[in-house]
Structures are given as structure tokens and as C-alpha cells.
Amino acid sequence: MLFRSINNSTELQQASGDIDFVVTIPVAAVSESENIYNTLKLLAQQDNDDIEKSMVLLNVNWLDVARSDPEKSANILRTMAEIDRARKDFPHLRIATIKREYKRESVEKTGGVIGYVAQDLQSAALLWLQQQIENGKRSPSQDAIIQRYDADIRGISKHAWRDIRRASYKYPETDIFKGVTRFGTDQYEKYPGFGFVAEIGRAHV
């Protein structure tokens, strides 16, 4: 399903190989129709040089039961229309979407839908970048930052993307850029108890 969504996305397929910043946003289609346009409007105000090498990837999602509710179905269509309006109003901002319907019975057994939505977003971004490598569009050594935003942000610095790029170049060793540092039990002398707690935490993820 994710491969199909990636392949069917004009924005993803036509993007150049110099994208180095992917913003992922989970969009609950039933409830975000009044927020998503303003969020995309804020992102469209980032520095032009940074927008040129960035991609906004949305997971527009809903539960299967919403289709049988006329009001919720209308909200889903309204959210999609707001995204299309943003594309028209901010053509310089690359906005790609994947659309996902989740089964309420399944997701509620494991605590809700947001974990699945976030996982699909991250997977879609990584699969798309891998596809670009396989297609010869980008070098395997070319890094990309993937950062998750909410669909209802109220404000953001116009230089936020510039600043995080600069930070990644200046401090590449920072956990946020290289991944979470894992402390094992072999570090117990330096960090008493920390390694043990970290391992327990990982076991329950």
C-alpha cells in the first residue's frame, strides 16, 4: 500500500534528488479541516532557499467507520479540499500526500491510531528516499532530515528550516541528527541503573 501511494504521488515522483529535508505531518481528516491550510500557509513562509530543497509529506487518514457517518465523510472531503487549496495558493511548497484508512477495531487494540499513522509516515519518507537512490536520482551518501510536525501548529519561525539545517551541519554528532544513543548494561559503572532502565524501556516498545 505504501509503495502504491508513493508511486501514485506526482509530487514525490517528480521531485528532484536534492531534497534534504522532509516534513511529515499526520492529518486526521475528520478533524483537521480547519487547521491544515493554516499550517501549510505557515510552512510556505519559510526561507525560499530552504523550501526549494524540502518536501512536505502528509498522511491524510481516517478510521473505516467514518465512511458510514455523513458528517465525518464530509469532513474528510473538506480536509482534502483544503490541502488542494494550499497547493494552489502556495505552488512553491512541495506538498505530497498519502491517504490511509485504518480499521478502528484493529488500532484500538493497541492504544489508538496515531502510532500507525506516524509509522506509515516515517516508512513512506524512507521508502521514497530509497526509491530515489535506486532510480539514480540521489547519492546513497546524501543525507536527509525527516522531521514530524502537527497539523494544527499556531506559529513557527520563518527561519526554522534554515536553522535546523545549519545545526545538522554544525553538530552532526547530536542525538537528534544521528539517532538515539543507546546505553547498554556495560555502561553501568559510569551510569548506574541507566542502562538497565533503558533496556527495559526498549523491551516494551
Side-chain angles (χ1 to χ4, degrees):
M1 287 293 291
L2 284 180
F3 280 114
R4 184 184 307 168
S5 297
I6 293 168
N7 290 332
N8 290 340
S9 170
T10 301
E11 291 77 17
L12 292 177
Q13 294 305 310
Q14 292 184 352
S16 65
D18 62 352
I19 301 295
D20 64 0
F21 191 75
V22 182
V23 170
T24 63
I25 304 179
V27 183
V30 169
S31 58
E32 298 291 5
S33 61
E34 296 183 2
N35 297 318
I36 190 58
Y37 178 88
N38 289 330
T39 292
L40 295 172
K41 181 179 180 180
L42 286 171
L43 299 184
Q45 296 171 19
Q46 292 294 305
D47 297 309
N48 286 332
D49 289 345
D50 291 292
I51 288 178
E52 286 181 6
K53 293 186 177 182
S54 300
M55 174 70 72
V56 178
L57 178 59
L58 312 178
N59 183 345
V60 184
N61 66 91
W62 57 89
L63 297 179
D64 54 349
V65 294
R67 287 295 192 182
S68 60
D69 185 313
E71 183 178 353
K72 291 180 178 179
S73 293
N75 284 341
I76 293 172
L77 295 176
R78 192 174 299 115
T79 297
M80 293 180 181
E82 287 294 274
I83 294 169
D84 288 338
R85 182 163 72 99
R87 282 197 179 105
K88 180 179 179 180
D89 290 350
F90 318 118
H92 62 299
L93 183 68
R94 292 184 182 89
I95 305 171
T97 60
I98 59 173
K99 299 174 183 177
R100 301 283 281 157
E101 180 175 290
Y102 299 91
K103 294 182 179 180
R104 184 178 70 177
E105 184 178 356
S106 297
V107 301
E108 286 185 349
K109 290 179 180 178
T110 53
V113 71
I114 187 59
Y116 295 93
V117 174
Q119 181 183 45
D120 283 346
L121 265 174
Q122 186 77 3
S123 295
L126 292 171
L127 287 169
W128 169 64
L129 292 169
Q130 179 63 32
Q131 184 184 75
Q132 283 205 319
I133 292 173
E134 293 173 353
N135 292 341
K137 279 190 172 182
R138 69 187 298 121
S139 167
S141 63
Q142 182 181 351
D143 291 333
I145 299 169
I146 302 175
Q147 187 175 40
R148 176 179 151 184
Y149 286 26
D150 290 332
D152 59 352
I153 59 176
R154 293 291 180 263
I156 185 173
S157 166
K158 293 182 179 180
H159 308 301
W161 293 1
R162 180 201 66 185
D163 292 344
I164 196 166
R165 276 187 173 93
R166 288 181 176 178
S168 71
Y169 296 142
K170 189 173 182 179
Y171 308 107
E173 75 285 354
T174 306
D175 284 354
I176 192 174
F177 300 123
K178 72 173 184 178
V180 175
T181 299
R182 178 183 176 194
F183 293 96
T185 53
D186 58 324
Q187 296 289 310
Y188 74 94
E189 290 184 352
K190 187 174 182 181
Y191 305 103
F194 187 85
F196 179 75
V197 172
E199 293 300 305
I200 291 296
R202 287 177 62 85
H204 285 79
V205 171

